[in-house]
Short mmCIF file of all heavy atoms in Angstrom, two decimals:
data_model
loop_
_atom_site.label_atom_id
_atom_site.label_comp_id
_atom_site.label_asym_id
_atom_site.label_seq_id
_atom_site.Cartn_x
_atom_site.Cartn_y
_atom_site.Cartn_z
N ILE A 1 -9.13 108.19 145.50
CA ILE A 1 -9.57 107.31 144.45
C ILE A 1 -9.42 108.02 143.10
O ILE A 1 -8.91 107.38 142.13
CB ILE A 1 -11.05 106.93 144.66
CG1 ILE A 1 -11.18 106.03 145.84
CG2 ILE A 1 -11.64 106.33 143.38
CD1 ILE A 1 -12.65 105.79 146.26
N GLU A 2 -9.79 109.30 143.02
CA GLU A 2 -9.64 110.01 141.76
C GLU A 2 -8.11 110.09 141.32
O GLU A 2 -7.84 110.04 140.15
CB GLU A 2 -10.24 111.37 141.89
CG GLU A 2 -11.77 111.33 142.12
CD GLU A 2 -12.37 112.72 142.40
OE1 GLU A 2 -11.66 113.63 142.75
OE2 GLU A 2 -13.59 112.82 142.37
N GLU A 3 -7.31 110.28 142.35
CA GLU A 3 -5.86 110.37 142.04
C GLU A 3 -5.37 108.96 141.49
O GLU A 3 -4.58 108.91 140.48
CB GLU A 3 -4.99 110.77 143.23
CG GLU A 3 -3.49 110.84 142.97
CD GLU A 3 -2.75 111.30 144.26
OE1 GLU A 3 -3.36 111.51 145.23
OE2 GLU A 3 -1.50 111.35 144.09
N ARG A 4 -5.74 107.94 142.09
CA ARG A 4 -5.32 106.64 141.65
C ARG A 4 -5.78 106.29 140.25
O ARG A 4 -5.04 105.67 139.49
CB ARG A 4 -5.83 105.54 142.63
CG ARG A 4 -5.08 105.56 144.05
CD ARG A 4 -5.37 104.30 144.74
NE ARG A 4 -4.90 104.44 146.08
CZ ARG A 4 -5.09 103.52 147.02
NH1 ARG A 4 -5.59 102.32 146.69
NH2 ARG A 4 -4.66 103.64 148.24
N LEU A 5 -7.03 106.76 139.89
CA LEU A 5 -7.50 106.48 138.57
C LEU A 5 -6.55 107.15 137.50
O LEU A 5 -6.46 106.64 136.40
CB LEU A 5 -8.92 106.97 138.41
CG LEU A 5 -9.92 106.07 139.18
CD1 LEU A 5 -11.32 106.69 139.15
CD2 LEU A 5 -10.00 104.70 138.49
N THR A 6 -5.94 108.23 137.89
CA THR A 6 -5.03 108.90 136.95
C THR A 6 -3.75 108.08 136.77
O THR A 6 -3.01 108.30 135.74
CB THR A 6 -4.66 110.38 137.36
OG1 THR A 6 -3.85 110.28 138.61
CG2 THR A 6 -5.90 111.17 137.62
N TRP A 7 -3.41 107.16 137.67
CA TRP A 7 -2.22 106.34 137.55
C TRP A 7 -2.40 105.17 136.58
O TRP A 7 -1.49 104.45 136.29
CB TRP A 7 -1.91 105.82 138.87
CG TRP A 7 -1.58 106.79 140.02
CD1 TRP A 7 -1.39 108.12 139.88
CD2 TRP A 7 -1.43 106.52 141.41
NE1 TRP A 7 -1.18 108.72 141.12
CE2 TRP A 7 -1.18 107.73 142.07
CE3 TRP A 7 -1.44 105.31 142.14
CZ2 TRP A 7 -0.93 107.78 143.42
CZ3 TRP A 7 -1.28 105.39 143.52
CH2 TRP A 7 -1.03 106.66 144.18
N TRP A 8 -3.64 104.94 136.14
CA TRP A 8 -3.93 103.67 135.47
C TRP A 8 -3.02 103.36 134.28
O TRP A 8 -2.60 102.19 134.16
CB TRP A 8 -5.42 103.59 135.07
CG TRP A 8 -6.02 102.28 135.58
CD1 TRP A 8 -6.30 101.21 134.81
CD2 TRP A 8 -6.31 101.93 136.98
NE1 TRP A 8 -6.77 100.12 135.59
CE2 TRP A 8 -6.80 100.59 136.90
CE3 TRP A 8 -6.23 102.53 138.13
CZ2 TRP A 8 -7.19 99.91 138.01
CZ3 TRP A 8 -6.66 101.93 139.30
CH2 TRP A 8 -7.13 100.59 139.23
N PRO A 9 -2.79 104.23 133.38
CA PRO A 9 -1.91 103.88 132.29
C PRO A 9 -0.52 103.39 132.72
O PRO A 9 0.04 102.47 132.16
CB PRO A 9 -1.80 105.17 131.42
CG PRO A 9 -3.09 105.92 131.75
CD PRO A 9 -3.36 105.64 133.16
N THR A 10 0.01 104.07 133.75
CA THR A 10 1.27 103.62 134.33
C THR A 10 1.24 102.33 134.95
O THR A 10 2.10 101.43 134.71
CB THR A 10 1.82 104.69 135.23
OG1 THR A 10 2.03 106.03 134.64
CG2 THR A 10 3.19 104.27 135.85
N LEU A 11 0.15 102.10 135.70
CA LEU A 11 -0.02 100.83 136.38
C LEU A 11 -0.15 99.66 135.40
O LEU A 11 0.46 98.56 135.56
CB LEU A 11 -1.20 100.88 137.35
CG LEU A 11 -1.12 101.84 138.51
CD1 LEU A 11 -2.44 101.88 139.28
CD2 LEU A 11 0.08 101.39 139.45
N ALA A 12 -0.87 99.95 134.30
CA ALA A 12 -1.02 98.90 133.28
C ALA A 12 0.37 98.48 132.62
O ALA A 12 0.62 97.36 132.36
CB ALA A 12 -1.98 99.37 132.24
N ARG A 13 1.09 99.59 132.34
CA ARG A 13 2.48 99.30 131.82
C ARG A 13 3.31 98.55 132.75
O ARG A 13 4.05 97.55 132.34
CB ARG A 13 3.09 100.61 131.44
CG ARG A 13 4.50 100.52 130.93
CD ARG A 13 5.07 101.87 130.54
NE ARG A 13 5.09 102.80 131.66
CZ ARG A 13 5.95 102.82 132.70
NH1 ARG A 13 6.96 101.90 132.71
NH2 ARG A 13 5.88 103.75 133.52
N LEU A 14 3.23 98.82 134.03
CA LEU A 14 4.05 98.14 135.05
C LEU A 14 3.64 96.72 135.11
O LEU A 14 4.46 95.77 135.29
CB LEU A 14 3.98 98.88 136.40
CG LEU A 14 4.58 100.30 136.44
CD1 LEU A 14 4.32 100.89 137.82
CD2 LEU A 14 6.07 100.22 136.17
N LEU A 15 2.31 96.45 135.14
CA LEU A 15 1.84 95.15 135.23
C LEU A 15 2.29 94.27 134.03
O LEU A 15 2.66 93.06 134.20
CB LEU A 15 0.25 95.08 135.32
CG LEU A 15 -0.38 93.73 135.44
CD1 LEU A 15 0.07 93.09 136.80
CD2 LEU A 15 -1.89 93.85 135.43
N ASP A 16 2.33 94.88 132.87
CA ASP A 16 2.77 94.10 131.71
C ASP A 16 4.29 93.66 131.86
O ASP A 16 4.70 92.77 131.21
CB ASP A 16 2.62 94.97 130.47
CG ASP A 16 1.17 95.02 129.94
OD1 ASP A 16 0.40 94.14 130.32
OD2 ASP A 16 0.86 95.94 129.17
N GLY A 17 5.00 94.45 132.67
CA GLY A 17 6.39 94.16 132.86
C GLY A 17 6.70 93.21 133.95
O GLY A 17 7.84 92.87 134.28
N VAL A 18 5.67 92.69 134.67
CA VAL A 18 5.89 91.75 135.77
C VAL A 18 6.25 90.37 135.16
O VAL A 18 5.52 89.86 134.27
CB VAL A 18 4.65 91.57 136.69
CG1 VAL A 18 4.83 90.50 137.75
CG2 VAL A 18 4.34 92.94 137.35
N PRO A 19 7.33 89.75 135.59
CA PRO A 19 7.73 88.42 135.04
C PRO A 19 6.77 87.34 135.52
O PRO A 19 6.00 87.54 136.46
CB PRO A 19 9.14 88.25 135.48
CG PRO A 19 9.15 89.01 136.88
CD PRO A 19 8.23 90.18 136.62
N PRO A 20 6.85 86.12 134.98
CA PRO A 20 6.18 85.04 135.55
C PRO A 20 6.47 84.91 137.03
O PRO A 20 7.59 85.07 137.53
CB PRO A 20 6.64 83.79 134.77
CG PRO A 20 7.10 84.41 133.48
CD PRO A 20 7.68 85.78 133.78
N LEU A 21 5.37 84.56 137.81
CA LEU A 21 5.54 84.57 139.23
C LEU A 21 5.34 83.11 139.85
O LEU A 21 4.44 82.44 139.37
CB LEU A 21 4.44 85.46 139.90
CG LEU A 21 4.57 86.93 139.57
CD1 LEU A 21 3.43 87.79 140.09
CD2 LEU A 21 5.90 87.49 140.04
N THR A 22 6.14 82.85 140.86
CA THR A 22 5.97 81.59 141.56
C THR A 22 4.78 81.69 142.49
O THR A 22 4.73 82.58 143.32
CB THR A 22 7.24 81.29 142.37
OG1 THR A 22 8.41 81.13 141.46
CG2 THR A 22 7.08 80.01 143.18
N VAL A 23 3.85 80.69 142.34
CA VAL A 23 2.63 80.72 143.14
C VAL A 23 2.65 79.45 144.06
O VAL A 23 2.87 78.36 143.55
CB VAL A 23 1.41 80.68 142.28
CG1 VAL A 23 0.11 80.55 143.06
CG2 VAL A 23 1.27 82.03 141.48
N GLN A 24 2.41 79.65 145.33
CA GLN A 24 2.46 78.57 146.28
C GLN A 24 1.64 78.94 147.45
O GLN A 24 1.16 80.06 147.63
CB GLN A 24 3.84 78.26 146.66
CG GLN A 24 4.58 79.43 147.41
CD GLN A 24 5.86 79.00 148.10
OE1 GLN A 24 6.90 78.89 147.42
NE2 GLN A 24 5.83 78.80 149.40
N VAL A 25 1.53 78.04 148.47
CA VAL A 25 0.89 78.38 149.77
C VAL A 25 1.80 79.33 150.47
O VAL A 25 3.05 79.14 150.58
CB VAL A 25 0.67 77.09 150.58
CG1 VAL A 25 0.24 77.47 152.03
CG2 VAL A 25 -0.36 76.23 149.88
N VAL A 26 1.24 80.42 150.95
CA VAL A 26 1.99 81.38 151.74
C VAL A 26 1.28 81.65 153.03
O VAL A 26 0.16 81.11 153.31
CB VAL A 26 2.22 82.67 150.96
CG1 VAL A 26 3.12 82.40 149.76
CG2 VAL A 26 0.90 83.28 150.50
N HIS A 27 1.72 82.58 153.84
CA HIS A 27 1.09 83.00 155.09
C HIS A 27 -0.28 83.52 154.80
O HIS A 27 -1.29 83.18 155.48
CB HIS A 27 1.94 84.00 155.82
CG HIS A 27 1.33 84.57 157.12
ND1 HIS A 27 0.33 85.45 157.10
CD2 HIS A 27 1.63 84.35 158.41
CE1 HIS A 27 -0.01 85.80 158.36
NE2 HIS A 27 0.85 85.07 159.19
N GLY A 28 -0.39 84.46 153.82
CA GLY A 28 -1.69 84.97 153.46
C GLY A 28 -2.04 86.36 154.02
O GLY A 28 -2.86 87.08 153.50
#
């Protein structure tokens, strides 16, 4: 958990770069 918290700035940047996503019913 402590290691993952250090990833947060990178994860935030990566999330900002996710394009619009197709949302539909899936297996789940």
Side-chain angles (χ1 to χ4, degrees):
I1 290 169
E2 292 171 349
E3 181 179 0
R4 288 192 192 182
L5 288 171
T6 68
W7 300 349
W8 228 257
T10 300
L11 295 174
R13 176 178 56 80
L14 294 177
L15 182 62
D16 284 341
V18 174
L21 297 174
T22 298
V23 173
Q24 64 166 78
V25 172
V26 295
H27 176 284

